Amino acid sequence: APEEAELIDDRYAAIRRRAHQQLMEHGFPDLKTEAWKYTSLKVLEKSEFGEQDESCGLAPAALPFDAWVIHFDSGLLNGESPDLPEGVRLEPVDPSELVNVTYGDRADAMAWLNLARFEQAWKLVIDGKIDRPLVLAMTFSEKFNASVHPRLKIEVTEGAEAVLIEQQRDHGEGLVNIVEDIELKGGARLRHILHRQNNGSVWVQRTRVA
């Protein structure tokens, strides 16, 4: 109801506004921008993105091994409590962790765009030696023609070990603009695998590892 909507506290609103201001100040990269001189964004200028569907209904691909699966459907977490092993937890990122996030100028425009437009920000904490791979499954159906901006922070605690597989299945024609921040503590080990099956969507992914 409208009365209830007014009571919803968007804790990320100020962060999005700041990122939008930075994006407007710097603008998007062109072929004169060193990091983008071989990557034209003209395909985005010609695209007309629609509204995001709440769900695409496309299941993750079957795996030939046992794994713990976290499913993101059309860029949003599918279900509230995925089945995870002891020592692994998924939780919303606290706004205080994003207040001081900063990027560079025009070359980082897509990261600023993500910070200005993300709907959900999640933190995956890995604590201990995980005996099965963790799979981050992102699926987009043939109806997908929106722009989504998944945001994920991954923390691997001291001495922890895991295999993380990103399984990305796209059947649509939208924009997927991902930002990931991975932090490994002392003695931690993470094997990070990206498996992408793309159709007509544009994928931009920034993964920063500390």
Side-chain angles (χ1 to χ4, degrees), residues 85-189:
E86 182 178 356
V88 178
R89 67 180 189 272
L90 184 70
E91 59 193 25
V93 173
D94 190 276
S96 63
E97 298 185 53
L98 296 175
V99 168
N100 296 320
V101 169
T102 188
Y103 302 106
D105 51 16
R106 179 173 293 193
D108 291 326
M110 298 303 288
W112 283 119
L113 178 62
N114 176 284
L115 194 59
R117 298 287 302 276
F118 75 93
E119 288 194 41
Q120 297 177 345
W122 293 100
K123 178 164 67 174
L124 178 66
V125 180
I126 301 172
D127 184 13
K129 297 183 179 181
I130 310 306
D131 60 352
R132 283 189 269 168
L134 293 167
V135 176
L136 297 177
M138 292 191 181
T139 57
F140 299 87
S141 74
E142 65 277 359
K143 297 180 181 180
F144 173 67
N145 71 338
S147 62
V148 298
H149 306 270
R151 189 170 194 92
L152 182 66
K153 182 175 183 179
I154 300 168
E155 291 185 2
V156 188
T157 65
E158 187 171 349
E161 296 183 12
V163 175
L164 179 67
I165 302 173
E166 291 190 57
Q167 182 197 75
Q168 300 173 348
R169 300 178 66 204
D170 162 45
H171 297 270
E173 296 183 346
L175 167 65
V176 185
N177 178 33
I178 305 170
V179 167
E180 289 180 347
D181 290 303
I182 302 176
E183 181 180 1
L184 287 85
K185 302 294 185 179
R189 300 181 64 183

Side-chain angles (χ1 to χ4, degrees), residues 54 70-73 76-83 90 120 122:
E54 292 184 2
I70 302 172
H71 182 201
F72 290 90
D73 185 356
L76 301 177
L77 182 66
N78 184 17
E80 296 182 357
S81 301
D83 184 23
L90 184 70
Q120 297 177 345
W122 293 100

Side-chain angles (χ1 to χ4, degrees), residues 1-8:
E3 294 81 4
E4 295 176 349
E6 293 176 1
L7 299 178
I8 295 175

Side-chain angles (χ1 to χ4, degrees), residues 16-40:
R16 293 193 186 98
R17 285 196 298 270
R18 179 177 65 89
H20 180 78
Q21 291 170 355
Q22 291 294 321
L23 180 62
M24 293 299 98
E25 177 181 336
H26 298 307
F28 285 94
D30 54 29
L31 297 184
K32 295 180 181 179
T33 308
E34 180 65 24
W36 291 82
K37 67 180 182 180
Y38 299 116
T39 307
S40 173

